[in-house]
Amino acid sequence: MSYQSDLYQQVILDHNKNPKNFREVEGETHSCDGYNPLCGDKIKIHMRVDDRGLIEDVGFSGSGCAISKASASMMTVNVKGKTLGEARTLFEEFHKMVVGELDAKGGGHHLGRLAIFEGVREYPSRIKCATLAWHTLVCAIDKTGETTIE
Ligand code: ZN
């Protein structure tokens, strides 16, 4: 199909094969277990946040489909070094993009390479796979322990 969807497939495959930050973190301060019953994806987010609310380290563990793992991998890369507030903003932008409320080409957002996931709109049943790691990140930020996305 389009260049955009070829790139989307390639990024998913690369991150699935070589996920970034697929590990627990030392001195973990925040974590949450996320579950997507629609697909069976289980992703746990691990974070170490400093006194100023800066995400010093973030990783993920668990198992899931290629999209859920690739999304978790890219999420960790993009929120590491950010504040909890900035991470929450990224979650909101990412979520709006995959459900079609934000046009990644339009600018005025902070998504960068995450814009590749705009392609998931074409596969509505996979949107929850793409957003699971993000919902779980917000759960970890809120320290609520576990989340199941409906
Ligand atoms: Zn999935």
Side-chain angles (χ1 to χ4, degrees), residues 8 13 24 36 43 51 54 57 102-103 110 141 147 150:
Y8 167 73
L13 289 174
E24 299 189 8
N36 170 19
I43 299 269
D51 300 340
L54 206 73
D57 199 7
L102 183 151
D103 182 3
H110 312 83
I141 291 173
T147 185
E150 308 284 329

Side-chain angles (χ1 to χ4, degrees), residues 21-143:
N21 304 309
F22 186 55
R23 55 175 172 76
E24 299 189 8
V25 304
E26 246 177 83
E28 176 179 294
T29 57
H30 294 57
S31 69
C32 179
D33 279 291
Y35 179 45
N36 170 19
L38 216 65
C39 179
D41 310 315
K42 283 183 177 169
I43 299 269
K44 181 165 188 169
I45 299 297
H46 309 270
M47 282 198 294
R48 186 175 71 249
V49 179
D50 78 3
D51 300 340
R52 300 162 297 166
L54 206 73
I55 301 170
E56 287 185 326
D57 199 7
V58 55
F60 72 102
S61 56
S63 61
C65 67
I67 294 177
S68 67
K69 268 177 80 176
S71 179
S73 173
M74 285 188 75
M75 184 277 287
T76 60
V77 170
N78 280 273
V79 302
K80 193 171 172 181
K82 298 228 164 48
T83 66
L84 295 178
E86 287 167 341
R88 202 185 284 272
T89 299
L90 263 184
F91 159 75
E92 284 162 9
E93 292 177 351
F94 186 87
H95 191 258
K96 279 185 186 158
M97 174 182 72
V98 296
V99 299
E101 291 171 14
L102 183 151
D103 182 3
K105 289 171 225 56
H109 59 76
H110 312 83
L111 292 165
R113 292 204 69 207
L114 293 168
I116 201 71
F117 278 93
E118 193 168 35
V120 84
R121 273 185 209 174
E122 292 167 33
Y123 312 93
S125 62
R126 313 317 295 273
I127 290 174
K128 289 186 170 65
C129 301
T131 56
L132 176 63
W134 289 93
H135 281 288
T136 310
L137 172 77
V138 169
C139 164
I141 291 173
D142 294 337
K143 291 193 169 189

